[in-house]
Amino acid sequence: MRPLALLLLLFLPRPAAANGPAAPRELTLDLVFEEGAGGRQPSDLAWSPDGTRLAYLWDDGGGEALWVLDAATGKAEAVLRLEEIDKLVWSPAGDAIALLAVGDLSLLTLRDRALVRLTTTAEKEEAPAFSPDGKRLAFVRDFDLQLLDLATKKERALTADGEENQVLNGTTDWLYWEEIWNRDATGFWWAPDGRRIAYYRFEEAAVKQYPLVDELPKVPEVRWQKYPQAGEANPQVKVGVLDLATGTTTWLATGGAPDDYLARVHWAPDGERVAVEHLNRDQTRLTLLLCGAAGGRCAPLHAQERPTWVELAKDFRFLPDGRFLWGSEREGYRRLTLHAADGRELRAVTPPGWSVTSLDGLNAARGVVVVTAFHTGGLGAAERQVLRAGLERDEVGSLTPRAGWNTALAAPRTGYWVHTWSDANTPQRLVLRRPDGSEAAVLPSAPPLFDPAAISPWRLFTIPGPEGSQLPARRLEPAGFDARRRYPALMYHYGGPGSQVVVNRWEGNVRGLWHRAMAQRGYAVLSVDNQASLFFGRAGQDRLHRRLGEVELAGQLAGVEYLKGLDWVDPARLGLWGWSGGGANTLYSLLNRPGVWRAGVAGAPPTDWHLYDTVWTERYLDHPRDNEKGYEASSPVTYAAQLTDHLLLVHGTGDDNVHPQNSTLLAQKLVEAGRPFEEAFYPNQKHAMTGAAQEHFFRRMTEFFDRHFEEPEAPSP
């Protein structure tokens, strides 16, 4: 462990660079991989509990630093630089910030800017959370809950039997992290009065293990991952309430089957009850249970039910008087509803014609709710707007009338909020706004290394789809467009229930910039969202229940027909690509409509749905024993012998989400069928490849499409 002195540098705000930003450059393939090519914005934004100050991480040219912005004055100040800050957490009083950096915890006192190292261990600390009085810090180490007294610096183990792949206390397993909490390891919750902590306990003994092999050492090393594949045993999960005074845990009697999901945990305002969102394994019924913290007895308060599946979200909130807000898709799109303390529905808070994507702020005293949502008609889902709604009465207004992608990070109590805006051709801009939406300050940013106005713009529109539908689409035209030429075209897609790639949002990541660079190199680029995408609500998503692939394929075929109708697109040079679910749908499309596309790239694809995890797969396809024909028909590997187009199959060998087993299995089936294909396997890369491997992949994909589309152009008709 390196000493703190080497990690910490306190400093005064440094003057801006005298020479200003560099002149924009041409967007080339080389530029795509440079750091900051798509622009930079602050990260890890976090409001103080009183809503008066905003903390964030930002590199002003002298290295990444922790900044604190005063909402009233709009002034920001750099307070320290600490290497590799992974997480920052405000104290309840707003006078200190706990920092997780290089695997250890430190405490920064803002008044004197003193930084104190709280832990120095070989093991990593995770998920720090202050007690409500700010005197203690709970966290997880080695799968056990720990409690640190900030005055004495003494630690106390709250649980002691945590063991990797066996028992997890206060954190989540991979399945809950990925599918239930959307890549969040939240696993414990302080009671409002600080006397108790509710926490998860996972018992994983029954879950099968999957080997992830590092082939680089002379003797390969194996890391075993607990991973429940569709139809297999889930971890056994329960929620306990630990009394800090006695050290005893009361287990909540949540009922149901042992492998059901305890999806969310919320403390009631009185600190004596805990609400648990219980989801049955079939994922058709989501029940809100209200449980006694002392005795553990639970009773149902409200339930949501659908014949296909119930969608999880993070939009439950208790009000101080025991009433609560909760979103549901009963009407086909998500709306927030106010419930009485006994669970009765009182009124819809968000208006019809809008679908809520996040609950951003709740001020019960002012009777105001702030949400991000989209219009449910036409291309409405391609954008996001921030709405302010009345809690008790019909009073709705848009805080972001400007077209594009708007999101909000609302401060508690004060009503200030950080507004993030962009559109498909304009980089992100972050603005601090007052409760009425007026501008208070502009957060720092760095522009892209190229001029967005000098490259081909995205154009959003609709195209004719199956059954008279209008499918959302967007297109990049080749640079230097000449209607007399015929250009190759690339199609990028994802697919799956509620998916979306047609967005009016700036995409400054490598994938987004690569698409633009390919347009600069003479390709047309098209994306189409199918009838099961977010644009079509639950009625569209339910089309995929028990059968994946066909709806997604129909959407891409509609895109092909659209391209064929453009005189300047060469229909003999069409390419298709996607990653993860998009990789699976690329394979399904190529294998079920051979000859439509000349070449395709499938990255990290699930190829046999029996091999993917229980939560995601069973949500849509049901349990394998109840839908074996659906699994077989939905899996690309079933059709391996039908490959006739050029295929590049890509996977990271360290992928713990879609295991490399998927691509290995498909490769074997292609070999058995005598079908030629290309492959690229990246040592120890996970599901989202990074660094040199990511660059290598995009360059390899560029070469792949260039090579297969390089024949002389046909004359224009």
Side-chain angles (χ1 to χ4, degrees), residues 330-613:
R330 183 177 57 198
E331 300 174 17
Y333 290 90
R334 197 164 194 88
R335 295 181 70 185
L336 281 183
T337 302
L338 178 64
H339 295 254
D342 62 4
R344 289 178 295 113
E345 293 187 16
L346 299 177
R347 61 181 302 272
V349 173
T350 53
W354 289 85
S355 184
V356 174
T357 57
S358 65
L359 172 53
D360 304 312
L362 168 62
N363 192 316
R366 299 184 182 186
V368 172
V369 176
V370 177
V371 301
T372 298
F374 62 83
H375 285 290
T376 58
L379 280 173
E383 302 190 342
R384 296 290 186 273
Q385 297 294 329
V386 179
L387 306 180
R388 182 170 55 201
L391 191 61
E392 309 287 354
R393 56 188 178 185
D394 293 333
E395 186 179 316
V396 179
S398 176
L399 295 173
T400 53
R402 188 177 184 182
W405 199 273
N406 300 271
T407 62
L409 178 66
R413 303 182 187 176
T414 61
Y416 281 92
W417 55 290
V418 177
H419 175 200
T420 302
W421 173 86
S422 72
D423 66 23
N425 302 305
T426 311
Q428 279 190 350
R429 183 172 186 261
L430 277 67
V431 175
L432 174 66
R433 297 194 181 277
R434 301 181 182 92
D436 62 2
S438 61
E439 183 176 304
V442 177
L443 273 68
S445 65
L449 302 182
F450 59 94
D451 180 6
I455 60 175
S456 298
W458 281 109
R459 305 181 190 277
L460 278 71
F461 50 95
T462 61
I463 64 173
E467 305 169 322
S469 62
Q470 288 293 311
L471 300 181
R474 68 176 193 168
R475 184 187 80 203
L476 287 174
E477 293 179 359
F481 175 74
D482 182 350
R484 296 170 299 177
R485 295 183 57 189
R486 304 196 91 187
Y487 297 92
L490 296 178
M491 298 176 65
Y492 169 74
H493 67 145
Y494 189 82
S499 61
Q500 181 181 12
V501 294
V502 178
V503 292
N504 190 13
R505 178 185 68 205
W506 180 255
E507 293 182 305
N509 57 10
V510 169
R511 184 192 68 220
L513 297 183
W514 182 80
H515 283 143
R516 291 184 179 273
M518 293 300 280
Q520 294 300 105
R521 299 175 72 253
Y523 284 80
V525 181
L526 178 72
S527 282
V528 178
D529 276 321
N530 60 65
Q531 287 177 284
S533 65
L534 196 64
F535 292 86
F536 295 89
R538 277 309 302 260
Q541 295 179 47
D542 287 348
R543 289 172 175 268
L544 296 183
H545 186 224
R546 295 173 62 86
R547 180 69 162 88
L548 302 175
E550 280 299 292
V551 173
E552 292 94 335
L553 171 58
Q556 300 316 301
L557 290 175
V560 169
E561 291 305 307
Y562 165 78
L563 290 173
K564 287 181 176 180
L566 301 176
D567 290 342
W568 50 271
V569 170
D570 183 354
R573 292 189 293 163
L574 302 182
L576 183 68
W577 88 279
W579 194 268
S580 191
N585 285 316
T586 295
L587 291 171
Y588 190 97
S589 298
L590 296 179
L591 297 173
N592 282 275
R593 289 297 188 278
V596 171
W597 293 273
R598 171 171 291 190
V601 176
T607 64
D608 183 340
W609 288 112
H610 294 88
L611 305 181
Y612 200 51
D613 72 63

Side-chain angles (χ1 to χ4, degrees), residues 15-21:
N19 296 328

Side-chain angles (χ1 to χ4, degrees), residues 143 163-168 172-176 201-209 224-228 233-237:
F143 312 103
E163 182 182 351
E164 185 176 15
N165 290 336
Q166 294 297 319
V167 174
L168 317 180
T172 67
D173 73 330
W174 180 90
L175 185 70
Y176 270 58
R201 177 182 173 87
F202 288 79
E203 297 179 0
E204 295 195 291
V207 180
K208 291 184 177 179
Q209 295 190 122
W224 292 97
Q225 178 197 13
K226 290 285 187 173
Y227 187 100
N234 271 336
Q236 306 296 298
V237 187

Side-chain angles (χ1 to χ4, degrees), residues 2 301 308 332 337 392 558:
R2 69 186 76 183
L301 197 59
T308 52
T337 302
E392 309 287 354

Side-chain angles (χ1 to χ4, degrees), residues 16-247:
N19 296 328
R25 296 154 57 188
E26 179 184 357
L27 178 56
T28 63
L29 189 62
D30 289 339
L31 185 64
V32 165
F33 307 107
E34 291 192 26
E35 185 176 357
R40 294 187 298 110
Q41 293 78 37
S43 64
D44 295 76
L45 281 67
W47 280 105
S48 62
D50 62 2
T52 63
R53 287 176 292 177
L54 177 74
Y56 56 85
L57 302 179
W58 170 246
D59 185 347
D60 62 345
E64 190 171 72
L66 172 64
W67 293 69
V68 175
L69 182 151
D70 184 280
T73 65
K75 294 182 179 179
E77 186 178 13
V79 294
L80 67 83
R81 182 184 301 135
L82 188 63
E83 187 176 318
E84 298 178 24
I85 297 178
D86 299 314
K87 188 178 182 64
L88 58 93
V89 181
W90 282 94
S91 67
D95 57 352
I97 298 176
L99 299 168
L100 183 60
V102 200
D104 282 304
L105 290 168
S106 300
L107 184 69
L108 172 68
T109 305
L110 293 177
R111 175 175 294 180
D112 56 7
R113 298 190 183 181
L115 188 72
V116 177
R117 175 72 70 88
L118 298 176
T119 63
T120 307
T121 62
E123 304 81 15
K124 291 183 178 180
E125 281 72 45
E126 299 175 346
F130 282 97
S131 60
D133 61 8
K135 296 180 179 179
R136 294 162 294 174
L137 196 67
F139 59 92
V140 176
R141 181 196 296 136
D142 264 1
F143 312 103
D144 275 315
L145 263 175
Q146 310 289 334
L147 188 65
L148 176 68
D149 186 292
L150 294 174
T152 64
K153 306 299 185 294
K154 290 184 178 179
E155 284 188 20
R156 170 187 167 193
L158 300 179
T159 63
D161 62 345
E163 182 182 351
E164 185 176 15
N165 290 336
Q166 294 297 319
V167 174
L168 317 180
N169 293 303
T171 187
T172 67
D173 73 330
W174 180 90
L175 185 70
Y176 270 58
W177 174 84
E178 171 72 22
E179 304 292 7
I180 299 295
W181 282 97
N182 193 23
R183 303 188 179 181
D184 177 2
T186 297
F188 69 90
W189 304 266
W190 279 97
D193 58 12
R195 295 187 297 121
R196 302 180 177 105
I197 293 178
Y199 68 99
Y200 276 140
R201 177 182 173 87
F202 288 79
E203 297 179 0
E204 295 195 291
V207 180
K208 291 184 177 179
Q209 295 190 122
Y210 184 93
L212 293 167
V213 183
D214 179 0
E215 299 276 5
L216 297 182
K218 184 176 181 181
V219 177
E221 299 174 355
V222 179
R223 179 173 72 86
W224 292 97
Q225 178 197 13
K226 290 285 187 173
Y227 187 100
Q229 293 176 330
E232 302 291 345
N234 271 336
Q236 306 296 298
V237 187
K238 53 186 178 180
V239 175
V241 176
L242 191 150
D243 186 299
L244 295 176
T246 64

Side-chain angles (χ1 to χ4, degrees), residues 268-270 273 317-325 338-342 346 362 364-365 391-392:
D270 60 13
R273 295 171 299 169
R317 297 288 190 282
F318 269 117
L319 274 63
D321 59 6
R323 294 180 299 166
F324 59 91
L325 286 170
L338 178 64
H339 295 254
D342 62 4
L346 299 177
L362 168 62
L391 191 61
E392 309 287 354

